Amino acid sequence: MADEVVLLDFWCSPFGMRVRIALAEKGVEYQCREENLQDKSPFLLQMNPIHKKIPVLIHNEKPICESLIIVQYIDEIWKEKVPLLPSDPYQRAHARFWADYVDKKIYHYFRDILRSSSEGEELEKNKKEFIEELKVLEVELGDKPYFGGDDFGFVDVSFVTFYSWFYAMETFGNFKVEAECPKLIAWAKRCMQKESVAKSIPDSLKIYDFAVQIRKKLGVE
Amino acid sequence: MAEEVTLLDFWASPFGMRCRVALAEKGVNYEYKEENLRDKSPLLLQMNPVHKKIPVMIHNGKPVCESLNIVQYIDENWKDKSPLLPSDPYQRSQARFWADFVDKKAYEMGTKVWKTKGEEQELAKKDFIESLKLLEGELGDKPYFGGEAFGYVDVTLIPFYSWFYAYETCGNFSIEAACPKLISWGKRCMEKESVSKSLPDPKKIYEFILQLKKVFGIE
């Protein structure tokens, strides 16, 4: 039976991008459906009734939700090509730990900094903490080309999608990630040379424009 | 080489309990080390420098952190006995989804129930019961979330059963009245030795919460 794969997504969601990259790495063809997050489709609400969020992967009509769970599913179903998670249980636990770290520790700064006004203590505090957390990731990367070692893997997929949001963050927060974490930027540029990544991640300037609109709507100055 | 397994834990932690249950299910011998969370040991800080939290499982000198990560590791490493995650990738993704739901919704809501009062507490109780009802819906008529056999989602959720008495007493409500199937499931799990020997007495958890409320200045 031919596989039927549909992805319910939103163009600039770093979580949706993770799934796009994983599918591209595995060479899986799929139909992408753009959701309007201000007016979610009945189909999305039916496929993800619990969280009502994108991304949702629908494989032969069965939905899988939550981006890291989807990426693991993709890795397990299409296992002959380009493994994303290591085969050794300890290395796998290590990879899951760092992907979870991105979700628990890094993600909320993107939300907080984008919603902070350009002046003020809150922004400075968020910036400082954000850089500290990025540095922890940089130490974990070490001198490896990828978090996965010699090969692009699960943690790389989990984090590289946020690179497209760096420009917006840096502009609103008036700082440069590269000045603080040069190895991390070198890593991101290395990932962007991969076709699976480059074609899954939108242009940083388009994301910046989108973020400007969000800040206007929120009344942030 | 003989396996050396140590668990850095705290007796009342539902996250620690998950690891205890998983290790017991697999029949793994391990050394249990109780941590004082107000005075964390150098070993804990060395083994989990990123989060500095329990539980940490140390296997032949190598640390694994984050309870769901630890349970998956235990399942993959000791795979010949009592599989916790299903073998089918789709079933596995669903098990991971519901375990993640427990962490994102049930734990957070339950905490709000004992930490708040007045209107805030009423809202917390409502949200908590709603999340439990969703879990009850997922359980359906199955004996366990894992189906016929105790599995990953059961391990993830059952520790909170030892906290139910504390939530109910602090919030003055009955979880059984709202979610009878979930309570039946809890009792069924407690009949398993791996569970009953890993979970503390609910009354002790309640006393612990009363101490915490004093510390946080909540009454």
Side-chain angles (χ1 to χ4, degrees), chain A residues 119-135:
Chain A
E119 276 126 50
E121 262 176 50
E122 201 191 328
L123 175 64
E124 288 311 305
K125 180 169 166 290
N126 279 327
K127 269 162 61 176
K128 184 168 164 289
E129 286 175 7
F130 177 56
I131 294 292
E132 269 167 31
E133 302 292 4
L134 287 182
K135 284 185 167 163

Side-chain angles (χ1 to χ4, degrees), chain B residues 156-206:
Chain B
T156 301
L157 182 62
I158 194 58
F160 294 99
Y161 183 74
S162 66
W163 281 66
F164 278 3
Y165 176 75
Y167 295 146
E168 288 173 317
T169 314
C170 293
N172 190 28
F173 69 119
S174 162
I175 294 173
E176 185 156 18
C179 305
K181 274 186 172 172
L182 210 57
I183 298 300
S184 302
W185 161 84
K187 289 177 178 166
R188 187 177 303 121
C189 292
M190 289 295 290
E191 284 168 11
K192 292 173 67 63
E193 198 191 339
S194 61
V195 176
S196 59
K197 73 175 190 178
S198 302
L199 266 54
D201 177 10
K203 298 257 163 76
K204 288 204 162 75
I205 297 276
Y206 175 60

Side-chain angles (χ1 to χ4, degrees), chain B residues 11-198:
Chain B
W11 71 275
S13 160
F15 306 101
M17 289 176 218
R18 288 168 174 174
C19 304
R20 288 172 233 164
V21 172
L23 286 165
E25 279 287 298
K26 301 287 187 175
V28 175
N29 284 326
Y30 66 99
E31 187 195 344
Y32 178 95
K33 283 200 191 175
E34 181 76 6
E35 281 285 331
N36 175 356
L37 299 185
R38 293 173 184 280
D39 187 19
K40 291 173 179 177
S41 72
L43 180 65
L44 172 56
L45 300 177
Q46 181 200 347
M47 291 287 123
N48 191 359
V50 173
H51 298 302
K52 305 175 175 50
K53 288 181 173 181
I54 59 90
V56 179
M57 188 178 109
I58 309 165
H59 185 205
N60 296 332
K62 296 193 292 190
V64 184
C65 308
E66 295 299 293
S67 65
L68 292 186
N69 210 15
I70 296 170
V71 173
Q72 287 186 79
Y73 174 77
I74 290 168
D75 198 40
E76 289 170 12
N77 204 60
W78 288 277
K79 57 184 187 285
D80 306 305
K81 188 177 177 194
S82 294
L84 297 172
L85 274 153
S87 51
D88 170 69
Y90 185 74
Q91 296 306 325
R92 244 202 319 278
S93 75
Q94 298 309 293
R96 286 183 179 131
F97 175 86
W98 285 103
D100 177 69
F101 176 84
V102 171
D103 270 1
K104 281 191 171 119
K105 298 278 188 177
Y107 172 65
E108 211 186 285
M109 308 293 176
T111 303
K112 279 194 178 147
V113 168
W114 70 261
K115 265 190 172 168
T116 59
K117 46 188 178 138
E119 238 180 78
E120 215 184 329
Q121 191 184 51
E122 289 307 307
L123 188 59
K125 278 157 63 177
K126 181 172 163 290
D127 285 342
F128 181 59
I129 290 293
E130 259 170 41
S131 67
L132 290 185
K133 282 192 160 147
L134 284 170
L135 282 162
E136 212 181 36
E138 169 56 21
L139 177 66
D141 291 318
K142 307 193 298 289
Y144 301 104
F145 284 92
E148 292 303 312
F150 185 78
Y152 184 63
V153 181
D154 303 282
V155 173
T156 301
L157 182 62
I158 194 58
F160 294 99
Y161 183 74
S162 66
W163 281 66
F164 278 3
Y165 176 75
Y167 295 146
E168 288 173 317
T169 314
C170 293
N172 190 28
F173 69 119
S174 162
I175 294 173
E176 185 156 18
C179 305
K181 274 186 172 172
L182 210 57
I183 298 300
S184 302
W185 161 84
K187 289 177 178 166
R188 187 177 303 121
C189 292
M190 289 295 290
E191 284 168 11
K192 292 173 67 63
E193 198 191 339
S194 61
V195 176
S196 59
K197 73 175 190 178
S198 302

Side-chain angles (χ1 to χ4, degrees), chain A residues 3-4 16 24 53 73 75 121 124 137 141 145-146 162 177:
Chain A
D3 275 320
E4 201 192 286
K53 288 182 175 180
Y73 174 80
D75 198 40
E121 262 176 50
E124 288 311 305
L137 273 171
L141 177 65
Y146 300 103
F162 289 94
V177 175

